[in-house]
Amino acid sequence: MDARGGRPVSGAVDGRPGYQVRVCAERPEVDAGTFTLRAPWGLDGLTDADTVIVPGTADPAAPLPPAVHDALNAAAANGTRIASICTGTFSLAAAGLLDGLRATTHWIAAGMLAAAHPDIDVDPDVLYVDNGQLLTSAGAATGLDLCLHLIRRDYGSAVAADAARLSVMPLEREGGQAQFIVQPYPSTPRGSALEPLLAWLQDNLARDLTLADIAARADMSTRTLIHRFREQAGTTPLQWLHRARVRQAQHLLETTTHSVERIGAQVGFGSPTAFRDRFKRTTGVSTQTYRRTFR
């Protein structure tokens, strides 16, 4: 854990350090997997800190050590600002500090966090959440977004912008976590009656398909088709189709130089506007931003 002690100093804008940083842990050395981290300060180093930053953990399901639980609760009771990076949110949750609050963590672990801590309003789409005293971030890189946000809170936008430039990153990134979540091809239930139909849909994404077209292909009424989809695929036929189209569009934006208009047509959207709207609703960013980020 990092304990950032001392109030921000007035000289932060003239090149002097804005924070005094301590690395604190329950033990003098922490096994971080590929390296060992030395912690010169024990958990008592959190006592007079103004900000405590809790790092991610390799095993979010691991029990929180009692000493860490008590140290975090004592810091919170003291009014200390506490922030977490990535799966560090699980430590705050295990300490009971996030009950009734909105929080985020890495999108891969968001479902686990929500299931383990139903009293927390887990938002898997944002880069970070600021509840005032308690802050959480999505992943390792979004820890930088969160830290820039903290600098802006402490020193203002100008100093935060300088820190962003030194870090060679934008002060604010467009979109949230949704753009980093690979939209999976909607699942095909093995051995179900829908399996041949879903394979046909996957092969015909470019076609202008209506619910009636899909029902005719399945040789059933639209009402029966919707019922079967909800029962076996957990969604509606058109929602399944939209998700498959967006996933294919992501692949084409990542791997080709085709225009957005051409890709929209290739995956079956009737107009570039409809494609852009659906893509942004699903991923949280525009097609151009997605391509710049991932190609």
Side-chain angles (χ1 to χ4, degrees), residues 21-290:
V21 179
R22 303 172 184 167
V23 179
C24 307
E26 191 178 11
R27 299 181 302 277
E29 291 190 347
V30 178
D31 181 5
T34 55
F35 59 89
T36 298
L37 184 67
R38 297 186 62 188
W41 286 270
L43 294 177
D44 56 351
L46 277 61
T47 304
D48 60 349
D50 290 300
T51 298
V52 173
I53 297 181
V54 181
T57 174
D59 181 8
L64 186 67
V68 177
H69 177 283
D70 293 346
L72 288 175
N73 273 274
N78 239 9
T80 303
R81 182 172 64 184
I82 304 177
S84 64
I85 307 296
C86 193
T87 53
T89 303
F90 283 80
S91 297
L92 302 190
L97 300 179
L98 298 176
D99 290 353
L101 297 178
R102 180 167 160 261
T104 193
T105 189
H106 195 289
W107 58 267
I108 287 178
M112 184 192 307
L113 180 66
H117 301 278
D119 290 335
I120 299 174
D121 178 13
V122 179
D123 188 341
D125 294 330
V126 296
L127 299 180
Y128 60 83
V129 173
D130 182 350
N131 286 300
Q133 182 186 3
L134 297 163
L135 304 92
T136 54
S137 65
T142 61
L144 291 175
D145 295 285
L146 176 60
C147 287
L148 288 173
H149 173 69
L150 292 175
I151 293 171
R152 183 166 46 193
R153 274 181 47 173
D154 292 341
Y155 292 105
S157 296
V159 175
D162 284 341
R165 280 191 286 270
L166 286 171
S167 302
V168 196
M169 67 174 293
L171 181 56
E172 290 187 19
R173 285 195 284 171
E174 184 178 348
Q177 279 201 86
Q179 62 186 301
F180 300 100
I181 301 173
V182 176
Q183 298 299 319
Y185 285 110
S187 60
T188 302
R190 294 292 180 184
S192 76
L194 285 182
E195 189 171 4
L197 176 63
L198 298 183
W200 178 81
L201 285 173
Q202 190 68 62
D203 291 338
N204 289 272
L205 295 178
R207 292 182 55 182
D208 182 16
L209 296 171
T210 65
L211 186 60
D213 294 330
I214 300 172
R217 174 71 187 188
D219 194 23
M220 60 181 71
S221 69
T222 56
R223 182 174 180 178
T224 301
L225 177 72
I226 292 172
H227 175 74
R228 292 281 175 81
F229 256 82
R230 289 197 180 280
E231 181 182 69
Q232 298 181 30
T235 187
T236 68
L238 293 182
Q239 286 172 338
W240 192 98
L241 189 60
H242 286 318
R243 285 179 57 197
R245 283 172 168 166
V246 168
R247 180 62 192 97
Q248 181 64 12
Q250 287 179 298
H251 174 70
L252 293 173
L253 287 167
E254 294 166 11
T255 59
T256 75
T257 58
H258 298 169
S259 69
V260 170
E261 291 74 15
R262 179 177 173 182
I263 290 175
Q266 283 179 284
V267 298
F269 286 95
S271 72
T273 300
F275 170 47
R276 288 186 174 96
D277 288 348
R278 174 64 63 175
F279 191 91
K280 187 162 188 177
R281 266 188 285 163
T282 302
T283 66
V285 294
S286 68
T287 51
Q288 296 293 354
T289 297
Y290 187 90

